Amino acid sequence: MQHEAFMQRALLLAQRGGGWVSPNPKVGAVLVHEGRIIGEGWHQAYGGVHAEVACLQNVLDADRPLIRESTLYVSLEPCAHQGKQPPCAHRIIEEGIPRVVLALEDPFPQVQGRGIALLQAAGVEVTTGVCHQEARWLCRNFLSAQEMQRPYIILKWAESQDGFIAPADGSRRQLSNHFSQTLVHRWRSEESAIMVGFRTALADNPRLNVRLWEGPQPLRIVLDKKLRIPKDFHLLNDEQPTWIVHEGRDYEAGNIRFLSLPFNEHLLPALLQKLLQAGKNSLLVEGGAALLKSFIAAGFWDEARVFQTKHVFGEGLQRPLLPESTCCMTTTIGNDCLRLFQPRQAFALFPDGAAL
């Protein structure tokens, strides 16, 4: 139980990395001496120091002699290769830490057990699998890229009580309340990319940015086969990186990349591969209905986050249907009901007690 308590603290610290560390995983570390935390840290930004090093840097001078008698809790296997930072496994060995407790082994090809092997070869006692499920959930974007070779995909929409996402006249209607909208902006800050279809772009003129929360701006993506989105629309304002997916030639104009892809059954797989190649390991799909349904039909989704609102339309545009899915969580946000769905064979199961 003591292992789990300290690992939960490491996982909590890791969450602070939010969208800042992508495409790296969120990682937290806690150093414990005889039941007392003497150091803790987390990976704060891509290219910055890793959690293990941040943890050791935060040990007070008075406690530094205790490092060689302490246990280090880390949510992911320490790296064993030289990347933007030196190998963390080497630093642990140099510090003389005798015990390391891990939640997950790292599937990244340049690590993949090598960090554990280095530690064990140096005489470090290594325990793995503590809070394994919670750690997989926390690292789901990174693990999806490594294990499934595609970004982690979240579908999001709001619907009326009677199952419509828009009224029959096609008019634009804000269904969810302000608190739900704020939550959506937090989600945007945590994911690498955000996407809408052509009809949604034309009808809503969306910004697809983070305004109601503090955090990094995602890559914006819109499908615009014939480049018909007006030039004065927000998606073409050059304020943040944007991909306009179309059938013409590849070219760039400022922050906007006009990406040529075939508009056929290979469109989504090709787009997902382009995202992965660009280091984007998660995608939030915000509509419209046709685009959401195409992801569902292709089996390209890992979560669906659905706001059921107080509105009643009677008729209109039907919500997408989620075959073979399980509702893993239901909560209320003001007068909205938020439900999270996952496929029955979910990549990373939503752990009990975790929060969105």
Side-chain angles (χ1 to χ4, degrees), residues 165-290:
I165 63 173
D169 61 8
S171 61
R172 186 178 186 275
R173 188 82 62 88
Q174 182 63 57
L175 298 183
S176 56
N177 62 44
H178 176 73
F179 302 107
S180 297
Q181 294 168 42
T182 301
L183 179 59
V184 169
H185 280 247
R186 195 195 88 183
W187 293 343
R188 290 178 178 181
S189 76
E190 295 170 343
E191 308 308 332
S192 301
I194 180 173
M195 183 178 182
V196 295
F198 172 71
R199 293 186 182 88
T200 297
L202 275 189
D204 297 349
N205 187 17
R207 289 180 172 86
L208 299 188
N209 61 8
V210 179
R211 302 185 303 280
L212 305 179
W213 197 261
E214 291 187 7
Q217 298 289 350
L219 169 70
R220 303 183 296 191
I221 304 172
V222 63
L223 300 182
D224 185 8
K225 183 177 180 180
K226 300 297 182 182
L227 295 183
R228 291 181 289 170
I229 295 175
K231 289 183 171 54
D232 60 349
F233 269 38
H234 297 305
L235 287 170
L236 296 174
N237 61 17
D238 201 40
E239 290 181 358
Q240 69 194 78
T242 304
W243 287 2
I244 307 297
V245 182
H246 70 129
E247 279 192 326
R249 63 182 179 87
D250 277 334
Y251 66 99
E252 295 184 7
N255 262 333
I256 302 173
R257 178 183 179 185
F258 293 85
L259 178 63
S260 177
L261 289 177
F263 275 67
N264 54 30
E265 68 273 16
H266 303 297
L267 175 59
L268 293 184
L271 176 60
L272 295 177
Q273 284 304 304
K274 290 288 187 181
L275 283 169
L276 210 57
Q277 292 166 11
K280 307 300 180 182
N281 58 19
S282 64
L283 174 64
L284 177 62
V285 183
E286 291 204 8

Side-chain angles (χ1 to χ4, degrees), residues 56 64 67-68 90-97:
L56 289 165
R64 295 203 66 82
I67 292 176
R68 291 180 173 271
H90 290 175
R91 177 64 181 273
I92 293 169
I93 294 168
E94 290 168 4
E95 293 281 354
I97 297 171

Side-chain angles (χ1 to χ4, degrees), residues 43-64:
H43 186 31
Q44 297 186 25
Y46 178 68
V49 297
H50 291 180
E52 300 92 324
V53 176
C55 175
L56 289 165
Q57 289 175 344
N58 288 328
V59 177
L60 297 175
D61 288 342
D63 288 331
R64 295 203 66 82

Side-chain angles (χ1 to χ4, degrees), residues 151-172:
Y152 189 88
I153 300 168
I154 302 168
L155 311 180
K156 188 235 68 172
W157 70 86
E159 63 186 37
S160 64
Q161 285 190 24
D162 48 353
F164 300 102
I165 63 173
D169 61 8
S171 61
R172 186 178 186 275

